[in-house]
Amino acid sequence: MELRYSLPFLSLMLQLCMSDTNLSGHLVLEPYDFLFDTAVEAYYKGDWLSVILNMEKALRNKATVRKVKAQCRINCANNTAFGEPLDGLGVPIPGAGSVDDLGFFQQILKRADCVNSCETEKLGTPTLHQVTEEVELEFKKRTPYNYLQVAYFKIHKLDKAVAAANTFFQANPDHMEMKQNLDYYRMMAGVQVEDFKDLEARPHMAEFQLGKSYYSDDSFGLAAEHFEAAVDEYFTANKECRVLCEGAYNYDGYNYMEYSADLFQTMTDHYMQVLNCKQHCSVELALAAGKATPFEDFLPSHFNYLQFSYYNSEKYERAIECAKTFLLFRPNDEVMKQNLAYYSAVLGEDKAETISARQVVKQYIQQTILEKELLYFGYEAFGITFVDPDTWTPEDVMPTKLRDKQKADKATAARITEEIGNLMKEIETLVEEKKKDSTDIHKIIVPQEGGALKYDDIMVTMTSTQLNGSQRVLLDGVVTADECRELQHLSNAAALKGDGYRGHPSPHSPSETFQGVTVLKAVKLGQEGKVPLKSARLYFDLSEKVRKVVESHFRLETPLYFSYSHLVCRSAIDEKQDREDLSHPVHADNCLLVSELNECIKEPPAYTHRDYSAILYLNNDFEGGDFIFTELDAKTVTAEVRPQCGRVVGFGAGKENPHGVRAVTKGQRCAVALWFTLDPAHEEKERIQAEDMLKMFSTPVNEEFSKTDSSDPQPATPQPPAQADQKKADKKQDDKPAEQKQDVPANTQDDKAADSQKDEAEAKTASKTTTKTTKAKAAPKAKAKAGDQAKAKTDKVKPAAKTKQVDKKDAKPAAKKTTKVAVKKDSKKSEASDSQDKKDEL
């Protein structure tokens, strides 16, 4: 494949090189819009070499047109300067008399002839390179590089494909397909970091960005070098930008045939347009690729960076020069004046006095201010609108009447904005009150306890009063010893299959490892035959049992919905008895605990929708790991619970119940952590999906449906890289950069999964057909949502940095007594050990 394109590619390179020869021989350049159209047509035909030849040439010709026009106008301006006296005249122009006026227009005619002759000689007729706004926009968006990256990839020129893709992405940072392509390229063999170039990077902006990078790294010497280069390149680019403003007049807002201004009005209109364009160059040059807004005070900021870079390099003369240059833009900047005073004191006041600001900046400011004064005069006299793009312009440049008018307009705008803001606040308040009223209707939390538990074998061990708090309960006998062992085995088996943190250190304590599995993940692993499906079903059923018990005990008038479910185990890494940290720091479940202020703020990132929490313990053969309730100070322990199989601690999720877990110093602590909400909008979607899958596994289906719908789904076709037009893109799979990024849908199952489903189905129905059909229907469900781990990780955002750890010495209450619940011995308990928690709490 590589040899197939080698000779044509050499021919392509030869043609590209010949284009430079043609330019030097004054042959007429081909219009770049024609080359662009030709390349697009070749792209649709799959003629990749023609795409490259014409698109590269279009880019080169466009750059050449701009360069030639700028150079012609600069040269002609130098040859026909207005300040020089003409032959036969003893005074420079423009003057005050008719003869001097003739001399002035003579220079205008000479310059016009010079520019016209220069451009015609090098570019051809003036209309040859005129393009439509649509084509100009395509080049501004760097669309040619989108075509080029595909074409170069097709002929296996990865370095050029990467450079083209990166160039396009710099101007289109929100283009997701190109981002995916670049991620793919980074994984490919043979692609180097140096290949990720920006082929359209403007020198002044590239140097400025490099300077900022070194500045951020405190490499002030290198930063100063690049900022100095950026200043030089800025004035070069500024000069080019300004002369290119001297193009054809844009009759925007006029019908050309009806435009009847006289000579001087016409000249005024055009000249004001040119000056406006030149003023806008400061904005144009401050725009980075892909950015909607320019850098504020772009040119002055160069000298701000430079003065500090030179100070850190102990080059005080240069620091003083740059500080004085910055003060040309902002003479009242107090910080810079203080810096200048310091540099002058270090260097010596006499020597500092001899150092002046940069002459090129003085000239730039003088010219820019004069242009602004002319534009403001045009604004006042002729109503030609001018909006000053610079924030550093002295206030007195703007005419007094206009300045007063703008101040009045700003005051009016501020007043209107304030009134709108107040109105919006009133609306928000009304909406919040309405929402609160609606919430109060649907969520009625009655702080009552002692309701019937619905299960005879469950007993209330301690109430809120005995636990020294409110909305608290301790229950025993919720599950049996065999059920505890099965769930603990499920946690260990699922952790080996890649859920949770895979045995990595706990997110809450570096001295412990953490593993966990959600309900949906357990069901999926059961479907695949990697864990017993009956264990996954037991996990689902027992957590539902806990929900019903909590709901009935607290006598809730509205049902509880699962917000999140997590079977977790924590294990001590080293057996340390003297640990002072906590396995899980003290926190609250629906608000941000600020223990220093004894406050709990109910706002994101806290899970404010959570209303109740419960923990089902599975074992007690470990050391440490006791559950504690505290006051809002996170120190004063009000109650302590020792885990054991079948024990449940339930409580309100608000600020009334700060809680944490003491360090697990030996063994493994396992539990099922459950969070509930009264708002159905926040019901756990994964649990609903898991319930659907479990119902499917135990529901007989029609045999004919099994025969017609039991084939395995085919993998989705990988998509090609981002191209200019996906409709006509090449369909060959081996040519597409994005194909390795595609995941095969998780809807095909191995024999183990089928056997596991069959065993479970036979417990419900004795039909082989039922089992086969169950597999056929379950397959599409398996790809529904594989984000258990991602969801669990999102809960890590709850900050615990401000929470004070519970010290063993501090565990003694200051005012309230601490209740400690002892473990009831059970000879049948032989559960494995591990530590417990959801990945973000408990």
Side-chain angles (χ1 to χ4, degrees):
M1 184 66 74
E2 189 74 26
L3 292 174
R4 173 184 171 189
Y5 288 106
S6 58
L7 289 177
F9 187 71
L10 287 175
S11 174
L12 167 66
M13 293 296 101
L14 180 61
Q15 293 183 58
L16 290 175
C17 293
M18 289 177 63
S19 65
D20 287 338
T21 305
N22 293 342
L23 178 60
S24 61
H26 301 297
L27 296 180
V28 175
L29 260 77
E30 293 181 79
Y32 63 88
D33 57 341
F34 171 77
L35 293 168
F36 176 78
D37 292 340
T38 304
V40 173
E41 290 178 8
Y43 176 88
Y44 292 144
K45 296 175 183 176
D47 186 357
W48 310 118
L49 293 177
S50 293
V51 172
I52 295 171
L53 173 65
N54 288 284
M55 202 63 81
E56 290 279 14
K57 199 170 183 181
L59 289 166
R60 293 156 67 92
N61 284 10
K62 182 180 185 301
T64 300
V65 169
R66 178 184 175 90
K67 184 177 180 180
V68 167
K69 286 186 174 182
Q71 197 59 47
C72 284
R73 292 172 189 178
I74 290 173
N75 291 341
C76 291
N78 293 336
N79 294 337
T80 57
F82 286 114
E84 299 174 358
L86 291 176
D87 294 337
L89 296 176
V91 294
I93 59 162
S98 60
V99 174
D100 294 329
D101 288 343
L102 290 175
F104 170 73
F105 286 109
Q106 181 184 11
Q107 291 294 80
I108 289 179
L109 294 174
K110 282 187 176 182
R111 182 175 293 190
D113 177 59
C114 176
V115 171
N116 185 61
S117 299
C118 179
E119 291 185 0
T120 301
E121 179 186 2
K122 296 180 179 180
L123 300 177
T125 59
T127 59
L128 184 61
H129 298 286
Q130 289 181 354
V131 299
T132 62
E133 291 183 1
E134 289 78 9
V135 172
E136 196 66 42
L137 181 61
E138 293 296 335
F139 279 85
K140 186 175 182 180
K141 294 191 301 184
R142 301 188 181 182
T143 301
Y145 291 100
N146 196 357
Y147 290 98
L148 282 171
Q149 71 100 11
V150 177
Y152 276 124
F153 178 81
K154 294 290 187 180
I155 67 170
H156 308 290
K157 298 296 178 184
L158 288 182
D159 57 337
K160 293 184 177 293
V162 170
N166 190 62
T167 302
F168 176 81
F169 185 70
Q170 293 303 312
N172 303 273
D174 297 327
H175 200 284
M176 289 298 101
E177 291 82 0
M178 192 61 75
K179 183 178 185 298
Q180 293 173 0
N181 289 349
L182 287 171
D183 291 340
Y184 171 79
Y185 286 134
R186 289 186 181 93
M187 297 186 294
M188 294 186 68
V191 175
Q192 306 296 324
V193 176
E194 298 77 24
D195 295 335
F196 292 85
K197 306 171 185 174
D198 183 359
L199 302 176
E200 291 285 330
R202 296 186 291 181
H204 76 280
M205 187 59 72
E207 293 289 350
F208 179 75
Q209 299 281 25
L210 276 173
K212 284 186 64 179
S213 176
Y214 284 118
Y215 187 91
S216 299
D217 294 336
D218 292 343
S219 300
F220 296 108
L222 290 171
E225 291 179 14
H226 287 286
F227 283 129
E228 289 288 7
V231 171
D232 294 339
E233 293 292 349
Y234 179 91
F235 284 112
T236 301
N238 184 63
K239 188 175 184 180
E240 180 179 298
C241 177
R242 294 171 71 86
V243 296
L244 288 173
C245 290
E246 298 170 357
Y249 180 56
N250 179 16
Y251 291 91
D252 185 25
Y254 292 105
N255 181 329
Y256 178 71
M257 298 304 294
E258 297 177 1
Y259 184 64
S260 57
D262 61 20
L263 170 65
F264 296 101
Q265 180 64 59
T266 304
M267 290 177 61
T268 298
D269 289 344
H270 197 168
Y271 191 56
M272 291 294 104
Q273 191 177 92
V274 169
L275 289 183
N276 252 308
C277 178
K278 289 183 176 183
Q279 285 287 303
H280 190 71
C281 283
S282 63
V283 177
E284 176 69 23
L285 297 178
L287 276 171
K291 302 294 183 182
T293 56
F295 285 103
E296 186 175 352
D297 281 350
F298 184 57
L299 181 57
S301 68
H302 285 70
F303 298 99
N304 192 4
Y305 284 116
L306 277 169
Q307 60 91 20
F308 197 71
S309 298
Y310 282 132
Y311 157 70
N312 281 278
S313 303
E314 297 186 354
K315 297 180 179 179
Y316 295 105
E317 295 92 340
R318 304 302 299 274
I320 290 172
E321 178 194 39
C322 293
K324 288 185 176 181
T325 303
F326 179 86
L327 288 171
L328 292 177
F329 294 98
R330 297 199 176 276
N332 297 320
D333 189 285
E334 292 299 328
V335 174
M336 192 60 69
K337 285 160 68 173
Q338 292 174 9
N339 288 356
L340 178 59
Y342 174 79
Y343 303 151
S344 300
V346 173
L347 185 65
E349 296 290 347
D350 294 338
K351 193 172 181 180
E353 285 292 332
T354 63
I355 300 173
S356 61
R358 297 196 180 182
Q359 187 63 28
V360 64
V361 177
K362 289 181 180 179
Q363 294 173 350
Y364 171 84
I365 292 177
Q366 183 181 8
Q367 180 181 12
T368 303
I369 289 179
L370 180 58
E371 289 174 351
K372 294 178 192 293
E373 289 174 346
L374 290 174
L375 285 163
Y376 279 126
F377 178 80
Y379 194 169
E380 275 195 311
F382 308 109
I384 301 173
T385 304
F386 168 60
V387 178
D388 192 346
D390 297 315
T391 60
W392 54 264
T393 305
E395 191 177 80
D396 57 0
V397 171
M398 182 184 295
T400 304
K401 290 183 180 180
L402 186 58
R403 187 163 62 243
D404 293 341
K405 181 177 181 299
Q406 285 197 357
K407 285 182 179 179
D409 292 343
K410 286 181 180 179
T412 303
R415 180 175 51 79
I416 294 173
T417 302
E418 183 180 2
E419 290 175 357
I420 293 175
N422 293 335
L423 181 61
M424 292 301 294
K425 287 180 181 178
E426 291 178 8
I427 294 174
E428 289 175 2
T429 302
L430 291 173
V431 171
E432 286 297 325
E433 290 177 354
K434 183 72 175 177
K435 184 177 179 181
K436 186 176 183 300
D437 293 341
S438 176
T439 303
D440 291 341
I441 293 174
H442 293 90
K443 301 180 186 178
I444 304 175
I445 304 176
V446 182
Q448 298 178 358
E449 301 181 34
L453 297 181
K454 298 183 180 181
Y455 298 94
D456 296 335
D457 52 347
I458 299 177
M459 57 179 289
V460 177
T461 304
M462 300 188 79
T463 62
S464 292
T465 303
Q466 294 168 309
L467 289 170
N468 299 323
S470 63
Q471 296 286 286
R472 300 177 183 178
V473 66
L474 187 67
L475 307 168
D476 280 312
V478 179
V479 299
T480 66
D482 290 338
E483 290 170 335
C484 286
R485 279 193 291 272
E486 187 167 351
L487 288 185
Q488 190 172 0
H489 293 156
L490 171 63
S491 174
N492 290 320
L496 293 175
K497 304 304 177 184
D499 191 51
Y501 285 87
R502 303 182 183 181
H504 291 172
S506 164
H508 307 298
S509 173
S511 301
E512 300 173 12
T513 57
F514 179 97
Q515 65 191 43
V517 61
T518 62
V519 172
L520 179 61
K521 185 64 175 181
V523 173
K524 285 184 176 181
L525 291 174
Q527 177 197 15
E528 297 167 5
K530 296 178 180 178
V531 300
L533 186 60
K534 66 184 183 67
S535 297
R537 188 185 302 279
L538 179 66
Y539 178 10
F540 182 92
D541 292 341
L542 292 182
S543 56
E544 175 63 21
K545 182 179 182 180
V546 173
R547 185 195 67 80
K548 292 179 179 178
V549 170
V550 172
E551 183 182 282
S552 61
H553 174 77
F554 288 112
R555 297 182 180 181
L556 301 179
E557 297 183 7
T558 55
L560 282 179
Y561 300 91
F562 283 94
S563 172
Y564 195 74
S565 313
H566 209 207
L567 169 58
V568 292
C569 292
R570 297 171 177 275
S571 300
I573 297 176
D574 298 317
E575 296 182 2
K576 299 178 181 178
Q577 301 298 326
D578 57 347
R579 279 178 53 194
E580 296 183 359
D581 64 319
L582 294 180
S583 178
H584 195 154
V586 174
H587 62 282
D589 286 343
N590 70 4
C591 56
L592 302 175
L593 182 61
V594 185
S595 58
E596 295 85 350
L597 303 176
N598 284 342
E599 291 183 2
C600 201
I601 304 170
K602 193 170 183 178
E603 63 181 28
Y607 298 93
T608 56
H609 56 274
R610 292 177 178 173
D611 297 299
Y612 285 88
S613 305
I615 307 165
L616 168 63
Y617 296 109
L618 303 179
N619 67 317
N620 72 313
D621 53 342
F622 54 88
E623 294 182 9
D626 288 357
F627 178 90
I628 56 174
F629 285 113
T630 75
E631 297 284 8
L632 286 171
D633 61 5
K635 288 183 178 180
T636 307
V637 178
T638 58
E640 189 165 353
V641 175
R642 177 63 187 171
Q644 69 175 34
C645 170
R647 173 165 287 174
V648 169
V649 57
F651 50 92
K655 66 179 183 179
E656 70 278 2
N657 287 315
H659 56 279
V661 180
R662 293 199 187 280
V664 178
T665 56
K666 184 178 180 180
Q668 185 186 52
R669 177 187 190 273
C670 294
V672 179
L674 304 168
W675 293 266
F676 307 107
T677 178
L678 292 166
D679 186 356
H682 292 283
E683 184 176 8
E684 185 179 8
K685 302 300 185 292
E686 291 189 2
R687 188 177 185 87
I688 298 173
Q689 189 176 344
E691 183 178 14
D692 292 341
M693 293 177 69
L694 289 172
K695 287 179 180 178
M696 189 186 310
F697 298 151
S698 59
T699 303
V701 292
N702 185 276
E703 183 175 356
E704 293 182 2
F705 180 83
S706 173
K707 292 179 180 178
T708 59
D709 209 36
S710 60
S711 59
D712 288 336
Q714 296 298 317
T717 303
Q719 295 299 316
Q723 301 184 7
D725 192 330
Q726 290 289 349
K727 295 181 181 178
K728 300 187 179 181
D730 191 271
K731 302 294 183 184
K732 294 182 181 178
Q733 295 293 314
D734 58 342
D735 284 340
K736 294 167 184 171
E739 68 181 86
Q740 291 186 9
K741 290 173 66 60
Q742 302 294 327
D743 294 328
V744 177
N747 53 11
T748 57
Q749 304 169 3
D750 55 20
D751 294 336
K752 290 183 180 180
D755 292 341
S756 174
Q757 295 173 24
K758 182 175 180 180
D759 293 342
E760 181 64 18
E762 286 178 353
K764 302 288 183 180
T765 68
S767 170
K768 292 184 179 180
T769 304
T770 301
T771 306
K772 182 177 179 181
T773 310
T774 301
K775 174 183 175 182
K777 291 192 71 176
K781 289 285 182 180
K783 63 179 179 179
K785 204 168 190 181
D788 310 86
Q789 184 174 352
K791 177 168 182 178
K793 288 185 178 181
T794 59
D795 286 348
K796 292 195 289 181
V797 291
K798 186 166 288 187
K802 294 184 178 180
T803 304
K804 296 183 181 178
Q805 296 178 349
V806 178
D807 193 290
K808 291 183 177 179
K809 297 179 181 179
D810 293 335
K812 299 177 181 179
K816 291 189 176 182
K817 66 177 182 178
T818 298
T819 302
K820 185 167 183 177
V821 183
V823 180
K824 296 184 178 180
K825 300 294 183 181
D826 190 338
S827 60
K828 294 183 179 181
K829 291 182 173 59
S830 59
E831 298 98 336
S833 49
D834 201 63
S835 41
Q836 166 252 338
D837 207 349
K838 178 177 186 281
K839 290 180 185 171
D840 90 83
E841 9 182 83
L842 286 174

